[in-house]
Amino acid sequence: MLQEFKCPNCGGSVEFDWSSQNMKCPYCDTEFDTEGLKEAKAEEERFSSDRASFEKSGRMWQEEGVRHYICPSCGGEIIAENTEAALSCPWCGNPVVLKEQFEGELRPDLVIPFKKGKEEAKEMFYKHLSGKKLLPPIFHEKAHIDEIKGVYVPVWIFDAEINGHMSIPAFRTTVWSDAKYTYTRTSHFLLLRDGRMEVKNLPVDGSTKMPDSIMEPLGPWKMEDAVDFETAYLSGYLADKYDVDADESSKRVLERAKSSVEKRLSATIGPYMRGPGAHSDISMTGGRERYVLLPLWILRTKYEGKDWYFAMNAQTGKLVGNLPMDKGRRNKYFLLAFFSCGLVGALISTLVQIL
């Protein structure tokens, strides 16, 4: 049930190294590509005399919501939530992959390996704090990272065709005058618009643990970096399996595409002014979905007894996360802006009177 990747030279646990894009032993510094490690693993399993005891050491039993495993390295108990698929033993720290979480329909099609390391995540966090004028000074001075972890998040990548039909109430106003009167004529219309939009590589979060408000701003993702899935890429990181399936995720595709389609169709009304009460009908046809694991660094810091979380795209380095606001500074800048606008208004009024 549990899978470890061992160094063929020294027997230490091997992890995926983002900087070399290879598997690397932290004990003897030997590097292997994923193919070479698979061959070494197959050789070990073929000739190992204690294969049966190894399988027994990875036995598993379940209870509601969690699964219990025995670490094949130290014999310690590992408790994993039902969605967890890669983690570390809490006793010896060795990375393990829960193989049954990636079997059959649960096996991802692709994975984007980590391209940014832990130190780069820390650097981006402190860069994210700089220049924030409404940030409490003490937060910037005392901000320290309490926890940082590399996580593979399950997503569905969609390619599809979005079809849109829209009826838009609109009007045109014409104004003219003669020597005595000014006339206004308003003509009303119902504009019908149809359009088609192609969606490629649109990611939709497949995990209820990861809020959409974090995942969606982290894009775009460069799918040209994606490779065929192998469990070796997960060694040394955390990973979850999806708990939102493709059918449910497709609804989110329509939600995200709806505003884009409506905006593009509305932009075609030319000289007409848009009125209230527009109606749209958006549908999705054809296309395909792929199950992909995307790399993130999750950072946590504490301020005034509250945890603040940040996430970094471990492929591009983009970082997102909310920050606390200093109410005193906020009020100060609001009053400054208010009085500045009032002063400008007064100057304009004085100039008008003079002229």
Side-chain angles (χ1 to χ4, degrees):
M1 294 298 180
L2 296 184
Q3 184 175 21
E4 282 188 301
F5 294 91
K6 296 290 189 180
C7 174
N9 288 340
C10 72
S13 293
V14 181
E15 300 179 359
F16 179 75
D17 178 55
W18 68 270
S19 60
S20 65
Q21 294 294 292
N22 283 324
M23 306 301 294
K24 186 174 183 179
C25 176
Y27 304 99
C28 66
D29 289 331
T30 305
E31 291 188 13
F32 314 87
D33 60 23
T34 55
E35 289 299 319
L37 197 64
K38 281 198 301 182
E39 292 175 5
K41 183 69 175 176
E43 191 74 11
E44 174 194 345
E45 292 180 351
R46 199 158 40 240
F47 293 102
S48 177
S49 60
D50 60 350
R51 172 65 174 165
S53 62
F54 173 81
E55 289 183 342
K56 184 178 180 181
S57 71
R59 65 186 181 275
M60 174 268 288
W61 66 96
Q62 300 184 50
E63 61 185 71
E64 186 175 357
V66 297
R67 300 185 179 194
H68 298 253
Y69 299 85
I70 297 299
C71 176
S73 289
C74 71
E77 182 182 17
I78 300 174
I79 300 176
E81 295 182 15
N82 282 339
T83 57
E84 288 184 304
L87 63 163
S88 297
C89 173
W91 306 101
C92 66
N94 280 347
V96 292
V97 178
L98 313 184
K99 293 194 297 182
E100 76 275 9
Q101 301 285 53
F102 297 115
E103 294 176 347
E105 293 182 355
L106 295 176
R107 183 177 177 83
D109 300 298
L110 301 168
V111 58
I112 295 181
F114 274 72
K115 302 291 184 181
K116 304 290 183 180
K118 184 181 294 186
E119 293 304 315
E120 289 178 274
K122 293 179 181 178
E123 182 181 339
M124 289 302 298
F125 169 72
Y126 291 113
K127 186 176 180 181
H128 184 66
L129 301 184
S130 64
K132 302 294 191 298
K133 295 183 178 180
L134 298 183
L135 189 68
I138 193 170
F139 182 88
H140 196 290
E141 294 169 5
K142 295 188 176 182
H144 63 277
I145 299 170
D146 295 297
E147 182 182 25
I148 179 169
K149 54 187 178 182
V151 179
Y152 279 104
V153 177
V155 301
W156 295 98
I157 301 291
F158 286 89
D159 296 337
E161 189 176 271
I162 308 297
N163 300 289
H165 172 78
M166 198 169 182
S167 56
I168 308 171
F171 62 91
R172 291 186 66 175
T173 300
T174 305
V175 179
W176 73 95
S177 60
D178 55 24
K180 193 173 182 180
Y181 299 102
T182 297
Y183 306 89
T184 301
R185 179 175 66 201
T186 301
S187 303
H188 294 270
F189 307 87
L190 183 63
L191 307 179
L192 302 180
R193 294 291 184 267
D194 288 286
R196 196 168 55 223
M197 184 174 72
E198 185 180 357
V199 171
K200 285 187 69 67
N201 296 329
L202 178 67
V204 178
D205 185 11
S207 170
T208 56
K209 288 184 179 180
M210 186 62 62
D212 293 337
S213 59
I214 290 180
M215 280 302 298
E216 292 178 6
L218 283 173
W221 298 85
K222 301 175 183 178
M223 290 307 298
E224 59 268 25
D225 287 340
V227 297
D228 291 337
F229 174 76
E230 294 292 344
T231 54
Y233 290 109
L234 310 185
S235 186
Y237 301 96
L238 304 179
D240 282 342
K241 70 172 185 178
Y242 70 82
D243 57 1
V244 181
D245 62 24
D247 290 339
E248 187 66 25
S249 296
S250 66
K251 300 175 184 177
R252 182 62 179 159
V253 175
L254 280 178
E255 290 177 13
R256 294 178 62 181
K258 180 178 172 64
S259 60
S260 296
V261 172
E262 289 180 347
K263 184 177 180 180
R264 292 192 180 189
L265 292 179
S266 297
T268 67
I269 66 176
Y272 300 94
M273 299 296 293
R274 178 174 171 171
H279 174 74
S280 63
D281 182 19
I282 312 297
S283 61
M284 183 171 67
T285 59
R288 62 169 179 164
E289 71 275 347
R290 288 161 292 168
Y291 176 27
V292 184
L293 297 183
L294 300 181
L296 268 65
W297 284 105
I298 305 295
L299 304 92
R300 179 179 62 83
T301 186
K302 188 177 288 290
Y303 174 68
E304 293 186 342
K306 179 182 176 182
D307 288 325
W308 296 82
Y309 288 91
F310 303 85
M312 190 187 86
N313 180 323
Q315 180 193 39
T316 66
K318 184 177 182 180
L319 187 140
V320 299
N322 295 325
L323 292 169
M325 182 182 297
D326 187 303
K327 294 181 179 179
R329 287 190 170 192
R330 179 195 62 186
N331 295 336
K332 175 183 175 181
Y333 281 107
F334 173 78
L335 291 173
L336 182 62
F338 178 79
F339 285 118
S340 297
C341 291
L343 180 60
V344 171
L347 288 173
I348 292 175
S349 178
T350 302
L351 289 173
V352 169
Q353 291 177 5
I354 292 174
L355 294 174

